[in-house]
Each structure stands twice: as C-alpha cells, then as structure tokens.
Amino acid sequence: MTGKVAFLCRHPVKSLGEERIEEVTLTPGKHMPLDRVWAVCHGASEFDTTTRKWVRARNFVTQAFVPNLAQIGISYDDDAGKLTLSHPAASTIAVDPDREGERLCDWLLPLAQDKRPGPYQMARLADGHLTDVPDAHLAINSTRTLAVLEDAAGLTLSTRRFRGNIWVEGLAPWEEFDWVGKEIQLGEARLKIVEKIVRCNATTANPATGLRDVDLPRLLEDRWGHMEFGVYAQVIGGGMVRRGDSVVLA
C-alpha cells in the first residue's frame, strides 16, 4: 500500500472546532501537538481542577450532547497564544484560554446550556491531553473509506464529523483496518496502529447546520456489522509530517 497525507488536523479545545495545518512535528509517546489541550467543564462535571487528572468525555461540553457545536470554527495563533472561535449564532471571540478562560466559557454558555447546563469552567491537564482515551494517540482516517460511507448514507459527510488528526488518501476502502498491530511511516515519523475507533453520537451532527441528520454509528452497524471508522495510532518514531507526505507500511 502507498497512501498520502491528505490533510492534518488539530482540535485545540475538545469538541469546539477543527483547525487544519500544513505540517506538524510528532514526538514519540506524545499526542498530536495542541490537540484537545483544553476542554470546557459543564455544571455536573467531575473534573478536579486541583489534581487535573484525565476524566471521561461526558464531563465536558461536547458535540455528542450539543450538536450545534459542530458549527464552531477555531484557529490558534501559536505566537500570540490566542484562540479565535466563531459560530453562526455568536460573535467571533479571540482569547488566551489559560488567562481568559472565563470569557470563552461565557461565549459558549448560550450555545450549549440547554443541553449541558452551567456553570462552565476551563479544564487543562497537568500533563497530557483531554482526548477520549487516556493513552497518547492520534486518530487516522481514510478519505476512500469516507467515500464508501457517503455512498451508504446518500449524502456528503464533512470530515469534521470525525475529528481526526491525519487523513490519508490513496488507500483501498477499509484498508486502514488491516494496519492494526503494524507500523506505518509517514513523512519522517513512524507510528504503530493500535486499534480501530468505535464511533459515537458526535458523528451524527452536520457541521453545516448544527443538526443531527444521519445516524452514522447505526449505519455502520447495519451495513458492516460494526461501529468503527478510522484507527488509533501511537507515535514510536518522531519527526516532521507534512501534507502530501507518503504513507507506507514500515
């Protein structure tokens, strides 16, 4: 197999938008840089702001419960240390998430409080990322597998539904599932594919409308007998990865 990196994505705040980037330096044993570094706790969250240990996604304001979060646009200015967030139903805001987290929470509350009541507060781990599983990993998806899923759904599916880090083009549909337990080389980095990704209700939200329009976990189950799309990988050899780099079995 020979594929190519179609695009790279990071999600600075858990479930609040996706940012495409041109290149990234991966480090062994680490997450995608600036991916799910922050999250927003809701009023019933069990996240402890003192110990700042990893907790499950249900403790945060997420797209799985608040579908209109799919409409959020986000970008991060690495030099200024500021996030810019936008949403069709809110004004654009630029904040330092560590120093101005209250402003971000105030901005988000009207968009989400009917599904996830406040008060809201920012969360950040002492060391790590607020991904759906505690181990350091990246999510890899295939554009060809997405095309097959689109055919089954009968509509175009935005890649933003799946919140992946690396999208690969040029593979056969579902070929990425054959990588589990193997290693791949992409750009200068080497990754071990550890498991398939089981999909949840977050994928049902349309980023264009903020509404749930197709039950993708159910569609996967009915058509293919599982609810999996994409694979998790761990970085075992660091280096630069750029959009357009080749992806091969190591």
Side-chain angles (χ1 to χ4, degrees):
M1 50 120 324
T2 299
K4 185 171 71 172
V5 176
F7 39 89
L8 302 161
C9 304
R10 64 188 185 185
H11 312 79
V13 185
K14 187 178 184 68
S15 219
L16 304 190
E18 176 175 276
E19 180 180 21
R20 291 193 183 185
I21 55 177
E22 291 297 308
E23 61 184 35
V24 66
T25 299
L26 300 180
T27 301
K30 299 296 184 181
H31 291 81
M32 180 84 162
L34 211 79
D35 191 61
R36 282 92 163 180
V37 172
W38 299 276
V40 177
C41 300
H42 54 68
S45 175
E46 297 176 357
F47 182 79
D48 188 329
T49 57
T50 301
T51 60
R52 296 194 291 165
K53 293 182 179 180
W54 182 90
V55 294
R56 294 187 180 279
R58 64 173 178 262
N59 291 282
F60 305 110
V61 182
T62 66
Q63 188 176 311
F65 294 95
V66 190
N68 72 338
L69 298 186
Q71 294 179 283
I72 290 177
I74 194 168
S75 63
Y76 184 73
D77 185 323
D78 296 82
D79 295 326
K82 285 204 169 188
L83 289 166
T84 298
L85 299 101
S86 61
H87 188 280
S91 59
T92 299
I93 185 174
V95 296
D96 179 327
D98 288 324
R99 298 181 180 182
E100 302 175 290
E102 186 174 346
R103 285 186 59 216
L104 192 157
C105 291
D106 289 344
W107 178 86
L108 182 63
L109 187 62
L111 299 174
Q113 62 184 338
D114 61 329
K115 298 289 193 304
R116 277 291 185 256
Y120 291 173
Q121 61 179 336
M122 295 297 295
R124 182 171 187 172
L125 298 185
D127 180 25
H129 296 232
L130 290 162
T131 46
D132 286 350
V133 295
D135 296 333
H137 67 277
L138 293 83
I140 301 178
N141 298 323
S142 162
T143 60
R144 288 289 301 280
T145 305
L146 177 60
V148 170
L149 189 56
E150 288 178 326
D151 286 343
L155 74 162
T156 300
L157 300 171
S158 169
T159 57
R160 290 167 58 192
R161 292 178 187 255
F162 302 94
R163 306 170 312 285
N165 298 124
I166 300 170
W167 282 85
V168 179
E169 59 187 8
L171 307 179
W174 309 107
E175 183 178 350
E176 65 277 17
F177 283 6
D178 297 333
W179 295 351
V180 175
K182 301 176 182 178
E183 297 176 10
I184 61 171
Q185 186 80 28
L186 62 166
E188 299 173 356
R190 182 180 291 242
L191 279 64
K192 181 176 181 179
I193 309 303
V194 293
E195 62 182 324
K196 303 170 187 176
I197 302 174
V198 178
R199 291 299 171 173
C200 71
N201 198 38
T203 59
T204 67
N206 187 331
T209 65
L211 302 175
R212 302 193 193 283
D213 60 359
V214 58
D215 189 338
L216 292 178
R218 175 66 64 85
L219 177 61
L220 286 163
E221 177 70 34
D222 290 347
R223 184 64 63 90
W224 290 282
H226 60 73
M227 293 191 294
E228 298 157 342
F229 181 92
V231 291
Y232 282 136
Q234 294 176 337
V235 182
I236 58 175
M240 179 74 74
V241 179
R242 298 177 176 86
R243 187 167 64 88
D245 279 350
S246 62
V247 181
V248 298
L249 282 172

